[in-house]
Amino acid sequence: VASKLGEMSGNYTIQVSAWRDKSTAETYVKRLEEAGYPAFVHQRSVKDGSWFTVRIGRYSSIKEAKKAVDSFAYELKANYWIDRVQSN
């Protein structure tokens, strides 16, 4: 699907899910990695706690990210959005 996450750079990423439970997000990331996706968890703090978002890749432009989505499995295309990479 794409190169390894450590080999990617860019200011955009593709978010495919968000979970309140970190272990659920990490399990989802493992499944995506096993399928060849360069996935990672990003923690986002909000008023009432944290969300653990599951993201795929880093891309130099929105256009490049949209092109990557075209190669995703159908289930991932159904509910995603492109976001700026956030520093942890």
Side-chain angles (χ1 to χ4, degrees):
V1 173
S3 58
K4 293 181 181 180
L5 184 61
E7 298 169 357
M8 302 178 85
S9 63
N11 293 321
Y12 296 93
T13 187
I14 302 160
Q15 183 171 316
V16 293
S17 69
W19 306 89
R20 285 289 195 171
D21 180 62
K22 184 177 183 179
S23 65
T24 302
E26 290 172 341
T27 298
Y28 194 53
V29 164
K30 280 184 187 175
R31 286 181 37 219
L32 289 170
E33 288 174 335
E34 288 169 2
Y37 294 95
F40 64 100
V41 174
H42 172 73
Q43 182 176 349
R44 180 167 275 177
S45 297
V46 292
K47 268 190 220 179
D48 60 342
S50 292
W51 283 94
F52 299 91
T53 60
V54 176
R55 295 166 173 231
I56 297 175
R58 289 195 167 91
Y59 305 93
S60 61
S61 66
I62 291 173
K63 183 178 179 179
E64 186 182 331
K66 285 182 179 178
K67 185 177 176 184
V69 170
D70 289 341
S71 70
F72 286 4
Y74 175 78
E75 305 80 50
L76 296 175
K77 290 180 187 180
N79 190 20
Y80 76 90
W81 64 88
I82 296 168
D83 196 8
R84 282 196 157 290
V85 172
Q86 307 289 316
S87 58
N88 284 338

